[in-house]
Amino acid sequence: DAGITQSPRYKITETGRQVTLMCHQTWSHSYMFWYRQDLGHGLRLIYYSAAADITDKGEVPDGYVVSRSKTENFPLTLESATRSQTSVYFCASSDGEQYFGPGTRLTVT
Amino acid sequence: AQSVTQPDIHITVSEGASLELRCNYSYGATPYLFWYVQSPGQGLQLLLKYFSGDTLVQGIKGFEAEFKRSQSSFNLRKPSVHWSDAAEYFCAVRERFKTIFGAGTRLFVKA
């Protein structure tokens, strides 16, 4: 499918578990982003990537790890999930304009 | 630091009435400004953007926004709201390649 996709769309995990959220885009955009959306905070940037193998922290990076071995993929890993990481996560890619994926709703119990 | 403020957490308007959603930004240089809409359970969709030029910009779905540098504002307007416009709206400013979002305004439309 063309565009930007995220998987899974819904995930429930336990505190302390590792979980990886996947993001895939078909446009070959250089820039990719991970945001979390929480009530009252809008979208906050977790990490971003300017190109393959180039990543940098955003506003709220603690507890998250990213990688970008291929231009089209930008996975986000929670190494040891905490309840405060319960959120909706959005991936985006950009060619100057940002295009958002459908989101992943993550619940940490 | 750059920031975006949306003073209204939620707004309720009657169908057919006009709408204005407020947005104020803090940014040192000429800003790149955006409005996005998010329907429940969906990602964000770009409504319109301002980079330069005419300060009144037209977007999709009948929306427009006006950039006022003197007021550091970029308010979103629509002359006649439809029930399908009920959603959450986000104002955003771009700093280089990063985008800073406001907290959002939820729009309710009553019949």
Side-chain angles (χ1 to χ4, degrees):
Chain A
D1 291 335
I4 183 164
T5 57
Q6 294 182 236
S7 61
R9 293 294 313 278
Y10 302 90
K11 176 74 176 179
I12 299 174
T13 191
E14 295 177 341
T15 301
R17 299 263 190 172
Q18 182 181 84
V19 60
T20 296
L21 309 184
M22 304 301 294
C23 178
H24 175 79
Q25 53 110 351
T26 61
W27 295 302
S28 299
H29 290 164
S30 294
Y31 282 95
M32 296 188 75
F33 307 83
W34 273 107
Y35 296 90
R36 59 177 291 172
Q37 183 178 27
D38 304 289
L39 195 63
H41 290 280
L43 275 76
R44 291 182 290 176
L45 183 64
I46 304 171
Y47 269 95
Y48 65 96
S49 169
D53 298 320
I54 301 175
T55 63
D56 208 346
K57 296 178 180 179
E59 181 184 356
V60 288
D62 294 343
Y64 303 95
V65 175
V66 293
S67 62
R68 187 115 180 257
S69 58
K70 293 183 179 181
T71 299
E72 61 266 31
N73 296 324
F74 191 38
L76 176 74
T77 298
L78 289 66
E79 292 189 304
S80 178
T82 66
R83 289 193 180 90
S84 66
Q85 292 177 309
T86 292
S87 187
V88 181
Y89 291 86
F90 287 98
C91 178
S93 69
S94 175
D95 62 354
E97 182 175 316
Q98 287 201 353
Y99 301 88
F100 286 84
T104 295
R105 183 175 293 276
L106 176 68
T107 301
V108 182
T109 63
Chain B
Q2 291 72 24
S3 65
V4 178
T5 302
Q6 294 180 244
D8 304 304
I9 297 173
H10 54 80
I11 282 182
T12 301
V13 299
S14 298
E15 192 169 16
S18 63
L19 169 70
E20 183 169 31
L21 301 182
R22 296 183 290 164
C23 173
N24 293 96
Y25 66 89
S26 169
Y27 190 70
T30 300
Y32 289 175
L33 295 161
F34 305 83
W35 274 99
Y36 289 86
V37 60
Q38 184 183 31
S39 298
Q42 303 296 314
L44 276 71
Q45 180 183 20
L46 181 68
L47 282 176
L48 47 78
K49 60 189 176 186
Y50 171 78
F51 286 175
S52 65
D54 192 347
T55 56
L56 185 64
V57 294
Q58 303 297 320
I60 61 171
K61 305 185 180 186
F63 286 92
E64 66 178 25
E66 186 171 13
F67 169 57
K68 292 185 178 180
R69 184 186 299 277
S70 61
Q71 299 177 17
S72 297
S73 70
F74 189 56
N75 294 349
L76 182 71
R77 301 194 294 248
K78 186 170 185 178
S80 178
V81 169
H82 188 264
W83 64 267
S84 61
D85 293 324
E88 188 145 22
Y89 293 81
F90 293 94
C91 182
V93 60
R94 193 169 85 193
E95 174 200 18
R96 296 174 66 197
F97 43 78
K98 292 189 290 184
T99 302
I100 310 297
F101 289 86
T105 297
R106 182 165 293 278
L107 173 65
F108 297 96
V109 180
K110 60 183 181 181

